[in-house]
Amino acid sequence: MRTKNLFTFLGLVIFLNANAQQHDIAGLWEGKLSAGTDIRIVFHFTKNADKTYSAIMDSPDQGAKGIVCNNVQFLNDSVSLEISSIKGSFKGTLMADSLIDGRWQQGPASLPLKIKKVLRVSHANRPQTPQPPFSYNNEEVEYDNADKSIHFGASFTFPTSGGPFPAILMITGSGQQDRDETIFEHKPFAIIADYLTKAGYAILRVDDRGVGKTTGDIQSATSMDFANDAEVGLNWLKSRKEADKSKIGLLGHSEGGLIAAIIAARNNNIAFVIMLAGPGINGADLLTGQMGAIVKSAGVSPEATEAYKIVYKNSINFTITEKDSSSAYAKAYPAYVEWKKKQSAGILSALGITSDEANDKKMIGTMVAQFGKPWMKYFLSSDPAPMIEKFSCKVLALNGSKDIQVLPDSNLEGIRLALTKSKTKVFEVKKLEGLNHLFQHCKTCLPSEYGTLEESFAPEALTILREWLDNNVK
């Protein structure tokens, strides 16, 4: 789901006794942390006019950029800095003009980290990303919604000969993403579009609000607003002579699957829907399951995980039923206090919960505030099942067996049950073994691993998409 909001960052000012400096560390420094998988760390040191330094950090493999560092010190070839927003720090010694040998500390973890001065940041290897020249037409297009309040930027690809072609509107997952659904330098939508265009399909992929060439308010927008945006693209697609009007469908990933369900439920001229890791259960249950899977994957016992899910779900329920965050907190915190009284010391310890009342209040307050934001509150209140039950189009629903963001068993079963109650006669619901939320073959399968994997989209998943379309749409 919203793998972009990994960190919240604060401002930085660093102070340094410039007279003690013997070297200049301004520039780019890059290294790798080995924590199960290699994670690239990049520090950008800037020398200010008063000869002090400023610094930010990137974690390219986790999709995090511009993380502000605090309390940077460079004195007698010793370098130290803190990253308070993620409770991390780095200390090292300048061994040469281009090498700092040091140690990374974050929570209980302490890992060696050597960083080298580089001219440019290295890029992750993404061998599947399509490269020009393309063997098909690739148009950069722009269009507006009806009242011209939003201007959209998109790419439209279609074969060089023949037509009209079956056409697909691609809908990205949660968070602000570009038309390629770029995440951790992976471009899954570009890969899918390239593959399917070569197979004889016309594809429209669009920048989300506030990204690339697309404008529009994002702060108060919900999945319903994004569905309205997608329908603008759908209408544009219908206007193109290259698109077969009787064979236009939707492909949505993650939240894009929910958006596709909203559109297909209210448009009976959608020919097909493809849901990639799309939700099949209500948002509150989906997010609770996701959080439980992440907590369990971090090594927390099943008993403690189930206990935490109770607190998490209670906070969600109070937030979506109460009129505002204050009212929700007034009910969520007392419920938490009662829950805490019933838990063993072992479970509380496993969850990192102490006797500090201030921390308890902060934890519940943070949950309620997060759940109360417009996008989140809509998502938590959403239920795709009644929408899917209104379908009359053909449907393909896929999910990876290792997905811990949209759990495969409960969501695929929810989609299947809803489809059996719909007018849809042709559908396939399938779990793909060994794949994560991004349809990559994975090891830990945690979101933190996505960027460390070279594979962007499993070849077998591409094959399944094409074969299903060839058999049911062409």
Side-chain angles (χ1 to χ4, degrees):
M1 305 295 292
R2 289 184 165 256
T3 54
K4 291 180 182 179
N5 300 323
L6 296 175
F7 306 108
T8 302
F9 310 124
L10 305 175
L12 162 73
V13 177
I14 48 176
F15 298 97
L16 183 65
N17 181 352
N19 293 330
Q21 288 181 227
Q22 297 177 349
H23 299 279
D24 185 358
I25 60 171
L28 295 174
W29 297 75
E30 182 177 10
K32 289 184 178 180
L33 280 174
S34 293
T37 56
D38 287 340
I39 299 173
R40 288 176 296 154
I41 299 294
V42 179
F43 291 108
H44 303 248
F45 291 101
T46 302
K47 195 171 186 179
N48 302 317
D50 61 356
K51 296 185 180 181
T52 64
Y53 283 91
S54 301
I56 59 173
M57 187 190 90
D58 297 339
S59 180
D61 297 324
Q62 295 180 303
K65 294 184 178 181
I67 306 173
V68 179
C69 306
N70 313 92
N71 301 321
V72 176
Q73 299 290 330
F74 178 42
L75 183 64
N76 296 331
D77 291 340
S78 292
V79 180
S80 65
L81 57 86
E82 299 173 0
I83 310 98
S84 60
S85 59
I86 59 171
K87 295 180 173 59
S89 64
F90 173 72
K91 293 181 180 180
T93 301
L94 186 66
M95 306 301 294
D97 287 341
S98 60
L99 176 66
I100 298 175
D101 189 357
R103 199 155 194 89
W104 172 268
Q105 184 81 36
Q106 188 173 18
S110 180
L111 301 169
L113 176 60
K114 290 183 180 181
I115 55 175
K116 295 180 179 180
K117 197 167 189 178
V118 295
L119 294 176
R120 62 186 64 86
V121 178
S122 63
H123 290 282
N125 188 26
R126 301 290 181 254
Q128 290 177 284
T129 301
Q131 301 296 333
F134 301 115
S135 60
Y136 48 81
N137 294 304
N138 182 28
E139 291 186 12
E140 299 297 302
V141 301
E142 297 181 38
Y143 53 86
D144 298 307
N145 62 351
D147 64 6
K148 298 191 182 301
S149 60
I150 303 178
H151 182 77
F152 296 92
S155 293
F156 182 48
T157 59
F158 54 94
T160 55
S161 62
F165 309 99
I168 304 172
L169 171 66
M170 303 184 75
I171 308 171
T172 66
S174 57
Q176 291 174 272
Q177 297 178 315
D178 65 19
R179 65 193 71 180
D180 296 330
E181 205 185 36
T182 302
I183 181 171
F184 310 124
E185 299 183 62
H186 294 293
K187 296 180 180 293
F189 273 21
I191 293 165
I192 297 171
D194 176 80
Y195 182 81
L196 293 181
T197 304
K198 290 175 179 176
Y201 297 87
I203 311 292
L204 179 67
R205 58 191 201 276
V206 189
D207 294 330
D208 289 349
R209 289 189 184 197
V211 177
K213 292 186 177 180
T214 298
T215 63
D217 170 63
I218 190 66
Q219 297 302 319
S220 59
T222 69
S223 300
M224 182 60 72
D225 297 302
F226 300 142
N228 294 336
D229 292 349
E231 281 190 327
V232 179
L234 186 64
N235 291 330
W236 183 92
L237 195 53
K238 291 176 183 177
S239 73
R240 293 292 300 232
K241 69 181 188 303
E242 297 85 0
D244 185 334
K245 310 300 184 291
S246 66
K247 296 180 180 180
I248 294 179
L250 311 170
L251 183 154
H253 175 236
S254 195
E255 183 199 3
L258 172 64
I259 293 169
I262 294 172
I263 296 171
R266 65 190 188 192
N267 290 273
N268 58 13
N269 57 358
I270 301 296
F272 60 93
V273 168
I274 298 174
M275 302 176 74
L276 300 178
I281 58 177
N282 71 69
D285 287 339
L286 187 152
L287 199 64
T288 301
Q290 176 191 121
M291 183 53 62
I294 292 174
V295 170
K296 187 176 180 180
S297 295
V300 176
S301 70
E303 294 79 11
T305 298
E306 289 303 312
Y308 181 72
K309 284 168 64 176
I310 294 172
V311 173
Y312 197 80
K313 182 68 177 294
N314 281 343
S315 297
I316 289 175
N317 288 340
F318 287 126
T319 304
I320 61 180
T321 56
E322 294 298 314
K323 62 179 181 179
D324 54 42
S325 295
S326 296
S327 300
Y329 178 81
K331 291 190 175 181
Y333 185 70
Y336 166 79
V337 172
E338 289 303 309
W339 167 88
K340 187 176 179 180
K341 290 177 182 177
K342 299 175 183 177
Q343 306 310 312
S344 68
I347 284 180
L348 295 178
S349 176
L351 296 174
I353 296 174
T354 67
S355 59
D356 190 329
E357 183 179 348
N359 280 343
D360 289 349
K361 290 181 176 179
K362 182 179 180 181
M363 178 180 70
I364 301 302
T366 299
M367 280 189 191
V368 168
Q370 179 185 4
F371 298 150
K373 292 180 179 179
W375 178 89
M376 182 65 80
K377 193 165 186 175
Y378 180 92
F379 179 79
L380 294 171
S381 303
S382 69
D383 187 353
M387 304 174 197
I388 296 171
E389 289 173 13
K390 295 178 181 179
F391 283 12
S392 57
C393 58
K394 299 174 181 178
V395 178
L396 172 65
L398 302 176
N399 206 339
S401 67
K402 299 295 186 180
D403 190 342
I404 64 170
Q405 290 190 256
V406 177
L407 302 186
D409 292 337
S410 56
N411 284 281
L412 287 176
E413 180 62 9
I415 293 171
R416 189 192 66 79
L417 286 174
L419 286 171
T420 61
K421 300 176 183 178
S422 73
K423 295 180 181 179
T424 295
K425 303 302 181 185
V426 176
F427 65 86
E428 183 175 356
V429 177
K430 190 170 186 177
K431 180 167 63 175
L432 306 185
E433 289 301 319
L435 304 185
N436 63 17
H437 186 62
L438 299 188
F439 291 83
Q440 302 165 298
H441 291 92
C442 55
K443 297 175 183 176
T444 70
C445 305
L446 290 164
S448 59
E449 185 191 36
Y450 297 164
T452 69
L453 302 172
E454 284 192 1
E455 183 178 68
S456 298
F457 199 86
E460 65 263 37
L462 289 172
T463 300
I464 290 169
L465 288 176
R466 178 182 56 77
E467 289 180 347
W468 186 86
L469 285 166
D470 287 350
N471 293 332
N472 296 286
V473 177
K474 263 191 178 177

